[in-house]
Amino acid sequence: TKLKEADATFERMKDISTAGAGLFKFVVAVLGYCSVAREIKPKREKVARLERNYQMSKRELDRINKELKSIEDELSQLSSRYEAATSEKSKLQEEAELMERRLVAADKLISGLGSEKIRWSEDLAKLKQQRVCL
């Protein structure tokens, strides 16, 4: 800096002028502040930018978590409905199998009774003949 080039020190300034020494001390402090401020400014800007990014990311994460919860709730409802439908399907399938067995048994009974009809018709004819004979 210019002060170093001029080989200025506080002691030298104090020897020259007390008021100048105070002013010199002030100028050195301002130059030190400026030097630090030049270093700090980009870091502060970077911190501000990172904080904005963090806030945006946090909002996005909250939105995604809400959407995920909504999807999980919907999945839970659909899963419950699926379980209920599967249970009902199983129940209806068992009922259909029972009805099928009953239908087969009824068909066998009707077939068996078909041959009985012939025998009953013959017995009825015999009974009518016996009645006429009496």
Side-chain angles (χ1 to χ4, degrees):
T1 64
K2 297 266 183 194
L3 290 177
K4 287 184 181 178
E5 290 173 11
D7 194 31
T9 64
F10 179 73
E11 294 301 323
R12 188 164 174 228
M13 236 351 143
K14 193 174 179 184
D15 290 340
I16 297 172
S17 163
T18 307
L23 185 60
F24 178 79
K25 193 174 187 180
F26 173 76
V27 169
V28 169
V30 168
L31 289 175
Y33 173 80
C34 288
S35 171
V36 169
R38 268 186 249 121
E39 259 184 62
I40 297 295
K41 184 180 178 186
K43 292 178 182 178
R44 283 186 178 167
E45 290 171 352
K46 184 176 181 180
V47 166
R49 187 178 68 247
L50 290 173
E51 284 177 347
R52 282 192 305 273
N53 288 345
Y54 169 74
Q55 291 301 326
M56 287 173 34
S57 297
K58 187 176 178 187
R59 281 193 298 271
E60 182 70 12
L61 177 63
D62 290 344
R63 184 190 65 76
I64 289 171
N65 281 337
K66 260 187 204 176
E67 188 176 331
L68 177 63
K69 179 162 180 15
S70 171
I71 290 171
E72 285 176 342
D73 290 345
E74 185 179 350
L75 178 63
S76 175
Q77 290 174 352
L78 289 173
S79 185
S80 296
R81 285 178 40 200
Y82 173 76
E83 290 297 323
T86 302
S87 174
E88 185 177 349
K89 176 190 169 221
S90 176
K91 181 180 164 188
L92 290 173
Q93 194 170 10
E94 287 174 10
E95 194 174 315
E97 289 171 0
L98 177 65
M99 293 297 173
E100 181 69 28
R101 287 192 303 267
R102 286 182 181 170
L103 183 62
V104 168
D107 189 38
K108 286 180 181 178
L109 182 61
I110 290 172
S111 296
L113 291 177
S115 63
E116 288 294 312
K117 180 181 177 186
I118 298 169
R119 188 179 64 86
W120 289 341
S121 296
E122 291 172 358
D123 286 348
L124 181 62
K126 287 179 187 176
L127 288 173
K128 282 183 183 179
Q129 186 131 21
Q130 285 177 358
R131 188 179 73 174
V132 171
C133 291
L134 290 176

